[in-house]
């Protein structure tokens, strides 16, 4: 699976970070999905190879503006770009009301269908995608969800060693077995299933909305390769700000990921106070150092346009 | 007066142009006004010296998304930047409904007052600004207005020649007369009014919303120094596209400005098909050449971040 970060700032854009948006896609897929759509997401998309025509679904974690104010413009531009295929829009019920109100009040007519799915019902009502998706309830000032994307490569590889041991030669027979068809060889029935290796383990990436209780992900994290979670503040600033905003600190998330031995942790959604220039204070380096102190796995701090691939061995690396 | 273009593309952003937004301010003023607020306007403001705290009023010409989808995010970021002063929002009634619906559905609480003024009533209900503003009805698919900004420098300069002829010496007396106070000199009453030159002529800049009938501005244009008007298409493309979109071509606007001897004409709101790279076709050069063929005055084609000043002699020049 691939991840492309389109916005990594919390609340308000800065000169170096836009507000929340993350693209995710299955390996080698043409289609892609978007998680959150802060204002200016369509502008960020313009600076990538992604096309609004191949966008299959948008998932909105919660209704706060820095996660959804880019929706109307992106939907309008997709229409202008000639989109006609239906688009899934998964989110809280208010997101459907928001899109409908904006369309009515600003006379926006979309020439394609939007299929709204309430996040609360997502686990029973899956969109038709290359990825399967679960929603997990989080804790924030408004209802917020994590979306957990799984990719199961249905292809099974041939067990070459076993074929050689059985003296079945490469060629047409291998092709038939690979495609799952049983064959007859010298009068003997050869079952494809016995010469195919088990399916590769499903890959799973969890992309979270705003959340002050990472432990809500304790079940979902067990089978996940990657956790993408907000780390709005460092611990000391989070203490000063108080519990009101209901965000996580780098330490809280890192402790959770460490405890559950998450292989890959990507932090994002940083308060605008953390400067990109690491010679200033506080800087994004403070967030990173705090997280490293509590988590020894593959830690990444997302920047806009960072492009990651999760490989077959479960390692997330930058492209 | 000064103009700073923040978005000059029609309908959808491109890599080099954002959607509509123009900043305007009185000479040497701290406060500024914004005409239209397409998505990403707050991002453009970040790249200028303008501050959301000194924004006094927003004027929305019409409800189409490329002129207003940046409003919610800009209002939210102004709140996060600690704004507490009231903000005027002038536009069609739907704009008030749009802002209110978005605030409710996305739980956006603004810590400052928004004073809504319906564009249709603007001429009877002026916001308290350094500039006075008229609204002029235009012709588009939805109700659209031009906003005509006037600046009257109330300061009157001393008539130095007349003072010298009357043998009134520089010093305290000049200061008193300058500030409008009559003085007594050698028993004689000297009236300030008689030694002050008339007020400078008011300056006027008209910034238009989408419009396919420039002649609707025939009255307002008489006393204007600058016309900022959309030129979405060249004439041939406008003919191909047909009357449906209700936009102007460069030729239509240039002919109108030429006929009315407008001193300064700024074209903006260009269809994304006109490439910034003038070696491509069609390019923005086609729009410019067409306009020049019909208008001999001071013609400008706006680019994002173009900054203009209208000087005392009525000439608009780039800063």
């Amino acid at each position: 699976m691939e991840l492309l970060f389109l916005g990594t700032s919390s609340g308000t854009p800065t000169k170096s970070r836009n507000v929340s948006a993350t693209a995710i896609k299955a390996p080698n897929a043409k289609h892609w999905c978007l998680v959150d759509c802060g204002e200016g997401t369509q502008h960020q998309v313009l600076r990538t190879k992604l096309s609004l025509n191949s966008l299959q679904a948008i998932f909105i974690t919660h209704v706060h503006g820095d996660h959804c104010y880019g929706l109307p413009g992106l939907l309008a531009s997709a229409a202008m770009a000639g989109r006609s295929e239906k688009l899934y829009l998964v989110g809280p019920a208010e997101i459907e009301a928001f899109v409908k109100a904006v369309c009515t009040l600003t006379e926006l007519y979309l020439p394609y269908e939007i299929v709204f799915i309430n996040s609360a019902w997502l686990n029973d009502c899956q969109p038709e995608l290359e990825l399967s998706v679960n929603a997990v309830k989080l804790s924030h000032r408004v209802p917020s969800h994590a979306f957990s994307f799984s990719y199961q490569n249905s292809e099974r590889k041939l067990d070459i060693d076993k074929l050689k041991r059985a003296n079945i030669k490469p060629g047409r027979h291998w092709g038939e077995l690979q495609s799952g068809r049983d064959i007859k060889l010298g009068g003997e029935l050869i079952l494809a299933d016995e010469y195919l290796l088990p399916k590769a383990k499903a890959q799973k990436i969890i992309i979270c909305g705003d959340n002050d209780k990472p432990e809500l992900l304790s079940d979902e994290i067990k089978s996940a390769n990657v956790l993408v979670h907000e780390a709005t503040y460092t611990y000391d600033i989070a203490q000063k700000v108080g519990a009101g905003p209901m965000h996580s600190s780098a330490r809280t998330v890192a402790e959770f990921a460490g405890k559950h031995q998450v292989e890959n942790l990507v932090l994002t959604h940083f308060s605008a106070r953390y400067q990109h220039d690491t010679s200033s204070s506080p800087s994004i380096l403070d967030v990173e150092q705090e997280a490293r102190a509590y988590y020894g796995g593959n830690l990444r701090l997302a920047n806009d346009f960072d492009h990651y691939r999760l490989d077959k061995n479960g390692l997330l690396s930058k492209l």
Side-chain angles (χ1 to χ4, degrees), chain A:
Chain A
M1 283 196 275
E2 288 179 30
L3 283 174
L4 175 53
F5 287 87
L6 298 169
T8 57
S9 178
S10 159
T12 191
T14 70
K15 281 187 194 174
S16 52
R17 298 181 185 275
N18 197 28
V19 282
S20 291
T22 309
I24 184 168
K25 69 185 205 68
N28 307 312
K30 190 192 150 216
H31 291 106
W32 58 289
C33 298
L34 178 64
V35 179
D36 284 330
C37 186
E39 181 184 357
T41 298
Q42 64 161 325
H43 300 67
Q44 300 286 82
V45 169
L46 273 181
R47 286 163 173 75
T48 70
K49 289 180 181 169
L50 298 169
S51 150
L52 296 185
N53 270 313
S54 49
L55 174 61
Q56 252 183 337
I58 304 176
F59 297 80
I60 302 293
T61 59
H62 64 296
V63 295
H64 283 156
D66 56 325
H67 296 255
C68 71
Y69 285 171
L71 261 181
L74 184 140
L75 299 177
S77 286
M80 276 180 271
R83 183 186 181 102
S84 57
E85 273 183 69
K86 73 177 174 198
L87 178 70
Y88 292 100
L89 180 51
V90 182
E94 290 80 4
I95 288 296
E96 179 173 0
F98 165 66
V99 169
K100 288 185 170 170
V102 172
C103 285
T104 304
L105 291 166
T106 69
E107 304 209 11
L108 172 60
Y109 307 104
L110 299 174
Y112 53 88
E113 184 193 2
I114 298 187
V115 181
F116 292 98
I117 301 177
N118 189 319
S119 312
W121 309 331
L122 177 65
N123 300 354
D124 302 316
C125 177
Q126 285 276 308
E128 295 149 7
L129 303 175
E130 280 122 348
L131 301 168
S132 61
V133 200
N134 283 330
V136 181
K137 266 194 196 175
L138 301 175
S139 161
H140 192 48
R141 306 197 300 279
V142 293
S144 180
H145 281 89
F147 296 107
S148 175
F149 294 88
S150 298
Y151 176 71
Q152 174 70 70
N153 189 339
S154 59
E155 192 194 16
R156 291 174 63 185
K157 293 202 168 162
L158 283 175
D159 187 339
I160 308 285
D161 289 341
K162 195 171 177 185
L163 285 163
K164 284 180 179 168
R165 286 197 303 274
N167 210 17
I168 303 172
K169 300 253 155 40
R172 186 169 56 85
H173 297 315
W174 282 31
E176 302 230 342
L177 292 170
Q178 164 81 74
S179 62
R181 284 190 292 274
D182 304 332
I183 58 171
K184 272 202 171 165
L185 206 64
E188 192 190 349
L189 180 68
I190 310 284
L191 299 176
D193 193 56
E194 289 183 359
Y195 289 88
L196 286 168
L197 294 166
K199 281 184 197 172
K201 209 183 140 207
Q203 292 191 323
K204 187 187 272 192
I205 296 180
I206 309 178
I207 304 179
C208 303
D210 293 3
N211 178 37
D212 68 352
K213 290 197 173 58
E215 61 270 25
L216 290 171
L217 295 153
S218 298
D219 281 342
E220 192 66 26
I221 204 70
K222 286 174 191 159
S223 52
N225 303 93
V226 182
L227 174 64
V228 179
H229 200 287
E230 63 129 312
T232 308
Y233 308 120
T234 43
Y235 191 75
D236 58 334
I237 299 279
Q239 297 297 106
K240 273 186 209 159
V241 168
M246 298 183 75
H247 283 301
S248 284
S249 69
R251 174 178 158 177
T252 322
V253 183
E255 279 182 331
F256 170 79
K259 181 180 161 195
H260 291 271
Q261 296 178 297
V262 177
E263 280 172 280
N264 307 280
L265 171 63
V266 187
L267 301 180
T268 184
H269 195 270
F270 308 113
S271 160
R273 78 192 69 206
Y274 299 104
Q275 308 285 308
H276 204 63
D277 171 7
T278 52
S279 65
S280 305
S281 178
S283 90
I284 197 68
L285 204 59
D286 300 323
V287 182
E288 182 171 351
Q289 283 169 347
E290 178 172 303
R292 286 211 188 281
Y294 296 91
Y295 173 73
N298 182 26
L299 174 71
R300 306 283 179 161
L301 271 75
N303 293 306
D304 288 19
F305 302 113
D306 274 358
H307 190 176
Y308 291 99
R309 179 178 289 149
L310 178 64
D311 68 22
K312 285 171 189 166
N313 303 317
L315 185 76
L316 188 76
S317 45
K318 214 166 174 174
L319 292 177

